[in-house]
Amino acid sequence: ESPKQIVNRVKVLPKTLKQMGFKKIISYATHPGIAKVLQTTGLPIRMTRASQMIGGTQQPIIKFELDL
């Protein structure tokens, strides 16, 4: 999907998940481009950098959190 389509999908996701009873969204990405796309949604997504074992090696990741 294009970045614009991803932004539109992410914008409606919190409302849907909140209706389903979720209280928080937590996700991870290894590609920094995902953070740039999520920033354009205007949602109050907290982003933190960390590292995580992926495939047996320590990899840099970006953690995303959004309270619903």
Side-chain angles (χ1 to χ4, degrees), residues 49-61:
R49 295 191 182 273
S51 62
Q52 184 172 325
M53 290 294 286
I54 300 173
T57 60
Q58 198 74 4
Q59 303 269 340
I61 63 164

Side-chain angles (χ1 to χ4, degrees), residues 11-36:
K11 283 182 176 180
V12 299
L13 185 62
K15 182 179 178 183
T16 302
L17 293 176
K18 190 172 185 174
Q19 289 173 342
M20 295 172 69
F22 289 89
K23 305 235 185 269
K24 181 183 268 194
I25 300 171
I26 299 175
S27 187
Y28 302 90
T30 56
H31 193 281
I34 299 296
K36 290 180 183 179

